[in-house]
Amino acid sequence: VALKRMLNFNVPPVKNSTGEPVWKVLIYDRFGQDIISPLLSVKELRDMGITLHLLLHSDRDAIPDVPAVYFVMPTEENIDRMCQDLRNQLYESYYLNFISAISRSKLEDIANAAIGANAVTQVAKVFDQYLNFITLEDDMFVLCNQNKELVSYRAINRPDITDTEMETIMDTIVDSLFCFFVTLGAIPIIRCSRGTAAEMVAVKLDKKLRENLRDARNSLFTGDTLGAGQFSFQRPLLVLVDRNIDLATPLHHTWTYQALVHDVLDFHLNRVNLEESTGMESSPAGARPKKKNKKSYDLTTSDKFWQKHKGSPFPEVAESVQQELESYRAQEDEVKRLKSIMGIEGEDEGAISMLSDNTAKLTSAVSSLPELLEKKRLIDLHTNVATAILEHIKSRKLDVYFEYEEKIMSKSTLDKSLLDMISDPDAGTPEDKMRLFLIYYISSAQAPSEIDLEQYKKALMDAGCNLAPLSYIKQWK
């Protein structure tokens, strides 16, 4: 909703207006791109009048009679580039939206550039959008995607981290959380674990919220911007926990559809990238091997099959894809049968519409074609994704890993020794073996004896594992 309002020049879009949308250009940086892409498709952008969407730092041509909506982070280089756009008089008017709040000094830089370029009247609006987080689903968002190695478990727990680096990481996290609550229009009750990074974030966020509320006139949580957020007594609870509370879970091999996509495929901001395996036909001797095609699919909330099955265990998903395929084939055969009854087999669609005595049946069959095609697209998509996952499961015996780890984590008796699993050359990659052993190490009540540990280490090294994670976990434990 906030994005749509922004793209409509910060006026809430009117539902029943019949007029054409105002055509405009959208200029974003990489951060803006990541925020918009999981939420609005190209088609939705076009419906809102966005004819072009371009990266801020790409080479752009002047389009003098079009308004431009900017959606960028208020960084030094972005501001310089925007000032340059003003000087080059690229667009008719400028709507500047910043992903998180812009500082006073940077705002003055833009003002100076606008005065210098005689473009003050063209800068229509400057807004802080407070949208510095990436929403992947209705109930899930992540904080950052660009430079994500800067804000990560590893970054916070590095032994050589300096205080200033830590402050920067904490500020980044706090800024995103603050943006989230501004967009939500609610002030949370914060709970955190003591003595950890979570507590640092909580203290900083608390301070930022209080400072904002102190100035009643300019508070982001009052006024018409966000409905009656401040009057609701149902304040959300924000629980901040440190990852160290439960380190085994992220290492665990999974068995549900969405988790498997995330674990074994290249899945990123709701988009999965697959390499298509080329057919089995042998190429003539000496010919270059065929290049693998890369395909990417969006797994979004509008995909009904995904919504229904993303939490299902994998075998159920495979079964459901099969059922969908059968029902699709039945519908398709029905359309073909109707065509042949009417004697227009093989004719083009035009001939169908010319027959004036169309049976109601055929009309409905033809009108269901777009729906059928969409169904076919989803079936193909999930067939390809599921097949890719299945190849990983088979080649790495992920089902065995999953069951074995479940037993370790629930402390039930193990049917075969851990050593056998690690030294089985057919089961999984070195990384899979390392993950399994770390889960065992984290979950065990007392650490294995030195003699046992040496034995495990040797087996892991023989399997080609890098032992660095083990020494970290050992120290951590």
Side-chain angles (χ1 to χ4, degrees):
V1 170
L3 279 175
K4 284 183 172 166
R5 188 174 62 208
M6 175 190 88
L7 294 174
N8 200 33
F9 306 124
N10 287 301
V11 190
V14 187
K15 278 279 169 12
N16 47 17
S17 63
T18 46
E20 280 279 290
V22 181
W23 300 114
K24 46 193 172 284
V25 186
L26 171 64
I27 313 286
Y28 45 47
D29 60 359
R30 293 249 175 250
F31 289 93
Q33 187 179 24
D34 288 343
I35 292 168
I36 292 173
S37 71
L39 292 172
L40 298 171
S41 65
V42 176
K43 182 186 170 304
E44 287 174 286
L45 288 175
R46 198 172 308 122
D47 293 344
M48 298 181 63
I50 304 286
T51 45
L52 273 177
H53 38 95
L54 305 161
L55 279 166
L56 178 66
H57 292 284
S58 58
D59 293 326
R60 290 172 281 118
D61 300 323
I63 313 175
D65 47 357
V66 178
V69 176
Y70 284 75
F71 184 51
V72 295
M73 281 298 243
T75 60
E76 207 60 51
E77 54 202 333
N78 283 354
I79 306 259
D80 289 348
R81 188 63 195 255
M82 288 159 86
C83 295
Q84 199 181 320
D85 287 357
L86 288 173
R87 284 193 285 272
N88 298 347
Q89 308 206 331
L90 288 190
Y91 307 109
E92 177 195 52
S93 55
Y94 302 85
Y95 292 81
L96 309 180
N97 297 283
F98 295 103
I99 298 173
S100 54
I102 182 172
S103 67
R104 179 78 204 205
S105 60
K106 287 182 180 152
L107 206 53
E108 285 168 6
D109 294 346
I110 297 179
N112 288 332
I115 292 168
N118 255 340
V120 177
T121 49
Q122 293 166 301
V123 179
K125 287 182 180 167
V126 180
F127 266 88
D128 289 333
Q129 286 294 348
Y130 293 102
L131 290 174
N132 190 9
F133 55 95
I134 299 171
T135 308
L136 297 178
E137 291 171 27
D138 290 351
D139 297 322
M140 181 169 90
F141 67 97
V142 294
L143 294 193
C144 77
N145 177 40
Q146 296 297 325
N147 342 343
K148 58 172 174 283
E149 57 286 343
L150 297 180
V151 180
S152 62
Y153 177 83
R154 183 179 170 275
I156 296 175
N157 291 285
R158 276 197 354 250
D160 57 346
I161 186 167
T162 62
D163 285 355
T164 44
E165 286 174 308
M166 192 67 163
E167 288 288 324
T168 315
I169 295 174
M170 296 298 129
D171 288 340
T172 313
I173 295 174
V174 168
D175 182 59
S176 290
L177 288 174
F178 182 72
C179 287
F180 171 73
F181 285 108
V182 172
T183 306
L184 199 64
I187 293 166
I189 294 166
I190 306 175
R191 291 279 175 269
C192 63
S193 41
R194 280 187 182 282
T196 57
E199 189 177 22
M200 282 176 76
V201 172
V203 171
K204 276 177 178 284
L205 182 60
D206 176 70
K207 187 169 166 229
K208 194 160 181 163
L209 288 165
R210 283 178 197 280
E211 275 170 11
N212 191 271
L213 287 170
R214 195 170 296 134
D215 181 357
R217 278 176 324 203
N218 294 333
S219 172
L220 295 164
F221 295 95
T222 52
D224 54 345
T225 45
L226 297 158
Q230 87 249 36
F231 299 121
S232 76
F233 292 104
Q234 289 298 324
R235 285 169 55 192
L237 175 66
L238 170 65
V239 181
L240 293 164
V241 272
D242 201 294
R243 178 75 265 174
N244 282 330
I245 284 181
D246 170 27
L247 259 186
T249 304
L251 298 166
H252 186 23
H253 287 88
T254 51
W255 198 232
T256 55
Y257 191 26
Q258 186 178 26
L260 273 167
V261 171
H262 205 106
D263 190 4
V264 304
L265 303 178
D266 172 13
F267 184 54
H268 199 60
L269 297 184
N270 292 348
R271 173 171 295 165
V272 62
N273 295 312
L274 292 180
E275 277 194 357
E276 285 201 309
S277 48
T278 42
M280 295 303 287
E281 74 275 2
S282 54
S283 49
R288 272 192 299 183
K290 284 202 179 124
K291 216 176 142 203
K292 287 192 170 176
N293 292 339
K294 281 218 155 179
K295 277 213 151 171
S296 64
Y297 302 108
D298 288 326
L299 297 172
T300 57
T301 40
S302 57
D303 179 339
K304 292 199 177 59
F305 186 88
W306 176 246
Q307 284 304 84
K308 190 173 169 196
H309 294 292
K310 61 185 182 189
S312 315
F314 188 71
E316 270 177 40
V317 175
E319 218 168 276
S320 309
V321 173
Q322 195 54 41
Q323 286 165 0
E324 292 278 319
L325 190 59
E326 279 158 19
S327 81
Y328 165 76
R329 286 200 177 129
Q331 275 175 290
E332 197 182 39
D333 292 344
E334 177 70 0
V335 175
K336 280 186 187 151
R337 196 176 61 81
L338 286 165
K339 277 188 177 180
S340 63
I341 291 172
M342 302 191 62
I344 49 174
E345 191 102 59
E347 298 262 346
D348 62 349
E349 300 292 327
I352 301 179
S353 55
M354 278 160 56
L355 289 172
S356 53
D357 56 346
N358 270 348
T359 55
K361 258 189 168 173
L362 185 68
T363 317
S364 78
V366 172
S367 65
S368 70
L369 274 177
E371 200 180 304
L372 265 179
L373 288 170
E374 174 60 9
K375 201 168 182 179
K376 171 104 173 68
R377 186 186 74 80
L378 289 183
I379 292 170
D380 288 348
L381 184 162
H382 289 287
T383 307
N384 290 345
V385 173
T387 313
I389 291 178
L390 191 61
E391 280 171 13
H392 278 277
I393 291 177
K394 282 209 257 217
S395 67
R396 291 161 56 183
K397 297 196 179 171
L398 294 182
D399 46 340
V400 183
Y401 275 99
F402 166 71
E403 284 176 24
Y404 200 82
E405 288 166 8
E406 285 281 276
K407 284 182 181 155
I408 291 178
M409 289 163 89
S410 60
K411 310 266 193 288
S412 48
T413 48
L414 305 173
D415 45 1
K416 61 176 182 178
S417 86
L418 186 61
L419 216 50
D420 292 349
M421 282 283 288
I422 294 172
S423 25
D424 177 357
D426 299 333
T429 60
E431 191 182 73
D432 291 327
K433 297 181 179 187
M434 197 68 210
R435 279 166 63 177
L436 170 70
F437 184 69
L438 288 179
I439 290 174
Y440 164 71
Y441 195 89
I442 292 169
S443 308
S444 56
Q446 68 252 46
S449 68
E450 281 301 315
I451 304 167
D452 289 352
L453 194 60
E454 282 310 310
Q455 218 178 350
Y456 284 128
K457 272 187 179 171
K458 186 178 177 311
L460 285 166
M461 281 176 75
D462 292 346
C465 298
N466 171 5
L467 293 184
L470 178 59
S471 47
Y472 175 79
I473 291 289
K474 195 174 163 186
Q475 202 178 348
W476 170 82
K477 186 146 176 161

